[in-house]
Amino acid sequence: MSKRVLVSGGAGFIGSHVTVELIEAGYDVVVADDFSNSDRTCYDGVRKITGREDIPLVEMDFCDLEATRKLFSDYAIDAVIHFAAFKAVGESVAEPVKYYSNNLTSFLNVIQAGRAAGCKNILFSSSATVYGEPDTVPVTEKTPRKPATSPYGNTKQMCEDILRDSVLAYKGLRGIALRYFNPIGAHPSALIGELPRGVPNNLVPFITQTAIGKRECLSIFGDDYPTPDGTCLRDYIDIVDLAKAHVYAVRRMLDGRMEEDYEIFNVGTGRPVSVLELVNAFEKVNNLKLNYKFAPRRPGDVTAIWADPTLANEKLGWKAERTVEQTLASAWAWEKHLAGK
Ligand code: UFG
């Protein structure tokens, strides 16, 4: 019998891509989402891509403990992947209580209700933000975490700690935290992708919206960083590659192959790319000119961070495969799909 995986936040950007990869790997999936920062677009896209009309969708808020308990009793869940969270760094600075309350409560409820229902496997979606401004790059999982620079980042650190402590305390519970670098792009079908509300905070949605004419001009934040071309360096990872890492991690948990009951993996490519390089690659691969200008640094941005993904490569048997060019072409195809072009 196939194992069932609960994907909280399964209608979101990462959650929808992970749902596709899980289904294609033979897992049963239950999608749960409150649609606070998503709509049915990506859920419908997932059904189209997989040809599965019957993927259970539960509309609920994980801050509601009773609803969370009901979910775990309605479905026998073998593993949960927890994405449901608020994710805007700037908003978290303005509204810290909203972020702490939502991101912590929902995760605590998942652990509590899951445990009561006998679900022993929890995968948490963490972020490279936990490393802050690292002293050395690339970062390994042993690179010390730095004090978080935003309430959002702090919730990622706190949820990692909650998972570690829970695994330590509750016998039989296993946890994996995946630390994502910068997920970009869209599914090659262009049926699912990122759906930013309002003005995008992240670079690639801003690029594609500028290219399609929704935004006038991209601002490149800072050209005076101590990097080869003066712009920041990041590890941009294709969303489908990133989604696949979850399948490998879930399999490792469910097959009982974890070496420790709590494990952490960087999910990145190991390849630093500057903002300017990314913009140039986008123009080249999609054969267009982007309207951009240099602007002052954005407060809170780190100069350079990229992953050492060796641990995930060796232990999960996973590796990022797609090139930046392929990924940027997929991001553009998705933007055009949204525009009906
Ligand atoms: N950038 C621009 N112009 C824009 C948007 C971004 O130049 O309009 C630059 C940023 O300055 C940065 C790079 O593009 O150098 C990437 O920025 P993103 O906002 O796309 O990504 P970040 O690396 O800032 O964000 C990541 C994760 C967050 C996490 C954050 C921590 O996406 O989840 O790191 O700072 F919280």
Side-chain angles (χ1 to χ4, degrees):
M1 220 180 68
S2 50
K3 301 277 187 186
R4 186 179 286 128
V5 182
L6 166 63
V7 182
S8 84
F13 174 44
I14 304 181
S16 58
H17 287 82
V18 168
T19 300
V20 168
E21 296 306 317
L22 286 168
I23 289 172
E24 289 184 347
Y27 291 99
D28 282 339
V29 177
V30 178
V31 169
D33 208 297
D34 68 355
F35 296 112
S36 60
N37 192 21
S38 57
D39 57 38
R40 288 184 65 102
T41 311
C42 288
Y43 172 71
D44 292 339
V46 168
R47 293 196 303 171
K48 253 196 205 140
I49 294 166
T50 58
R52 291 271 300 269
E53 289 299 319
D54 57 344
I55 306 161
L57 169 68
V58 182
E59 187 168 348
M60 59 163 290
D61 178 359
F62 283 89
C63 289
D64 180 343
L65 180 58
E66 278 323 303
T68 309
R69 284 194 201 280
K70 182 166 183 320
L71 175 65
F72 277 98
S73 78
D74 286 351
Y75 297 92
I77 305 289
D78 296 292
V80 43
I81 308 183
H82 184 65
F83 294 109
F86 295 152
K87 62 174 186 182
V89 177
E91 187 190 38
S92 80
V93 176
E95 295 192 66
V97 172
K98 175 176 167 183
Y99 272 68
Y100 286 117
S101 168
N102 183 67
N103 292 8
L104 301 182
T105 306
S106 57
F107 192 45
L108 290 167
N109 285 351
V110 163
I111 294 175
Q112 213 179 147
R115 187 167 164 252
C119 172
K120 306 242 176 272
N121 302 288
I122 299 178
L123 195 155
F124 175 65
S125 64
S126 191
S127 164
T129 192
V130 303
Y131 296 114
E133 176 97 53
D135 295 330
T136 53
V137 275
V139 291
T140 74
E141 293 76 1
K142 290 200 161 58
T143 301
R145 293 187 328 192
K146 289 279 185 68
T149 52
S150 72
Y152 161 79
N154 210 11
T155 67
K156 290 295 175 196
Q157 293 195 351
M158 290 164 94
C159 285
E160 283 192 355
D161 294 346
I162 288 168
L163 185 55
R164 180 203 59 207
D165 293 347
S166 299
V167 161
L168 202 62
Y170 307 138
K171 232 170 158 41
L173 186 66
R174 289 174 288 266
I176 291 183
L178 296 183
R179 292 178 176 161
Y180 313 141
F181 284 70
N182 288 56
I184 62 166
H187 193 268
S189 65
L191 291 171
I192 57 174
E194 210 167 349
L195 277 176
R197 292 214 168 146
V199 183
N201 293 310
N202 296 113
L203 179 60
V204 169
F206 208 106
I207 289 176
T208 56
Q209 290 195 4
T210 306
I212 205 100
K214 259 192 185 168
R215 312 272 156 216
E216 224 165 84
C217 182
L218 167 78
S219 292
I220 295 182
F221 298 136
D223 63 354
D224 57 352
Y225 283 99
T227 60
D229 66 19
T231 66
C232 292
L233 295 171
R234 292 288 182 279
D235 186 335
Y236 296 95
I237 172 154
D238 183 90
I239 186 66
V240 176
D241 277 336
L242 178 109
K244 288 191 167 134
H246 295 72
V247 177
Y248 286 85
V250 162
R251 201 175 282 143
R252 179 175 172 89
M253 283 180 138
L254 292 175
D255 290 354
R257 284 188 287 109
M258 288 175 68
E259 289 165 30
E260 315 273 345
D261 287 336
Y262 174 59
E263 295 180 335
I264 300 171
F265 297 101
N266 284 341
V267 183
T269 67
R271 168 190 66 199
V273 174
S274 78
V275 176
L276 201 53
E277 283 172 330
L278 198 83
V279 167
N280 291 337
F282 181 84
E283 291 185 320
K284 192 154 176 233
V285 71
N286 295 314
N287 196 23
L288 46 78
K289 277 267 153 253
L290 196 72
N291 194 19
Y292 70 85
K293 62 170 194 250
F294 290 104
R297 293 181 179 194
R298 181 170 71 176
D301 273 343
V302 307
T303 303
I305 182 162
W306 68 94
D308 177 340
T310 308
L311 198 67
N313 298 164
E314 288 178 356
K315 303 282 180 190
L316 296 180
W318 165 89
K319 204 173 186 320
E321 281 168 356
R322 287 162 69 83
T323 63
V324 164
E325 287 75 17
Q326 287 173 313
T327 307
L328 291 172
S330 74
W332 181 227
W334 166 244
E335 188 67 58
K336 285 191 292 186
H337 169 82
L338 285 177
K341 290 187 183 166

